[in-house]
Amino acid sequence: MKLKGKIAIVTGAGKGIGRDTSLAIAAEGATIVAVARTQSDLDETVAMIEAKGQKAISLSLDLTDSKQVQSMVDTVVERFGRIDILVNNAGGYPSEIYDSVGQQAIKIWEWTETQWDQILKTNLKIPFLCINKVVPVMIKQRSGDIVSVSSRMGRIASQMGGYSVAKAGIVTLTKTTAIQTKEYGIRANAVAPGIVDTPGQRVYNHNVGQDDAVMGSSTAVAKGIVYLLADSPAEMTGQVIDMYTTV
């Protein structure tokens, strides 16, 4: 077990990539702190981990609220004394970023300020707040690993408006964090998957008339995250693994 004894926070852990990542990290011996909004989803994730004889707890929180993020950190430190791993996975995009027919992404000049603020809040503010509150704990330890989930849409020019901007922001946030925390023994990396087969993605695909979209596996993304945490060289920081076909 390559992560035995580690304490790992995984956000968006109720389903999809977050759930599969929680299971994969737990399988390597880490104790999982599964965080999301919906308690029933978290209960299922924790039950799946515990059924395999591994350890997990859940915290139902709104991670767009800095006070709740600080509460998460305080709870984990009080209970376990440390935070070794942070996986920034929470995020998503609404079907409203497509037009009423569900065929074309709305143009940058068509976004409302409310839509723009919300998608940045969901996809970029959450990882910022988690890094902002977790890193001081890792600095005291002089160790820690952060892996954030970006997207193919944050790595290439695309039609996805604010979602692409937010996911591209995660890339820069990762690299900046890596530069600023390296001296404390902390690593920050990211994965950038393409379209991934998750419950939320299937609902989205249906809403925009793309039920036949080709999707990747959330378990494959989880393997990429485990690689960064357990198998990558100690010097590897500030890197983004692209997990999609480029040809």
Side-chain angles (χ1 to χ4, degrees):
M1 290 188 175
K2 299 174 182 178
L3 299 173
K4 186 175 182 180
K6 302 287 188 181
I7 307 300
I9 295 174
V10 182
T11 70
K15 59 182 69 173
I17 293 172
R19 172 175 288 176
D20 283 336
T21 298
S22 297
L23 290 166
I25 295 174
E28 292 293 342
T31 295
I32 303 300
V33 180
V35 186
R37 291 179 187 243
T38 306
Q39 186 63 56
S40 58
D41 291 339
L42 290 171
D43 289 343
E44 290 181 13
T45 297
V46 170
M48 293 171 72
I49 292 170
E50 292 180 339
K52 296 184 178 183
Q54 296 144 7
K55 298 177 181 179
I57 66 167
S58 67
L59 296 174
S60 175
L61 298 167
D62 176 3
L63 296 178
T64 66
D65 181 346
S66 63
K67 291 182 180 179
Q68 293 192 48
V69 177
Q70 186 62 62
S71 172
M72 172 189 76
V73 171
D74 293 343
T75 298
V76 176
V77 172
E78 181 178 356
R79 179 152 183 176
F80 299 107
R82 61 188 300 109
I83 300 172
D84 300 295
I85 294 167
L86 168 64
V87 178
N88 280 316
N89 168 69
Y93 50 86
S95 59
E96 288 82 359
I97 65 174
Y98 274 84
D99 62 22
S100 59
V101 183
Q103 299 299 317
Q104 297 290 329
I106 60 175
K107 307 304 182 185
I108 203 72
W109 56 90
E110 296 170 337
W111 282 72
T112 67
E113 185 176 354
T114 299
Q115 286 174 314
W116 183 264
D117 287 348
Q118 183 59 40
I119 206 157
L120 292 183
K121 183 178 181 181
T122 300
N123 290 283
L124 190 53
K125 184 178 181 180
I126 289 176
F128 160 70
L129 287 176
C130 289
I131 289 171
N132 181 260
K133 305 304 182 187
V134 168
V135 163
V137 175
M138 291 181 169
I139 287 174
K140 290 180 181 179
Q141 299 167 181
R142 300 197 71 82
S143 66
D145 263 295
I146 300 167
V147 178
S148 298
V149 179
S150 180
S151 168
R152 176 176 182 266
M153 296 304 173
R155 298 287 276 169
I156 62 173
S158 76
Q159 293 275 4
M160 299 295 284
Y163 180 76
S164 295
V165 171
K167 290 300 187 179
I170 289 176
V171 172
T172 304
L173 176 64
T174 295
K175 292 179 178 295
T176 302
T177 302
I179 291 168
Q180 295 182 345
T181 61
K182 184 177 181 181
E183 66 179 291
Y184 302 107
I186 300 167
R187 301 193 306 162
N189 293 294
V191 293
I195 299 174
V196 178
D197 187 3
T198 65
Q201 184 67 54
R202 288 194 292 271
V203 170
Y204 172 84
N205 289 352
H206 180 73
N207 287 343
V208 300
Q210 296 181 356
D211 289 316
D212 59 348
V214 177
M215 296 185 286
S217 164
S218 58
T219 57
V221 179
K223 288 180 181 178
I225 293 171
V226 169
Y227 165 75
L228 287 171
L229 294 172
D231 296 313
S232 62
E235 297 81 6
M236 187 172 177
T237 189
Q239 303 303 307
V240 181
I241 297 179
D242 294 319
M243 302 188 70
Y244 52 88
T245 302
T246 57
V247 295

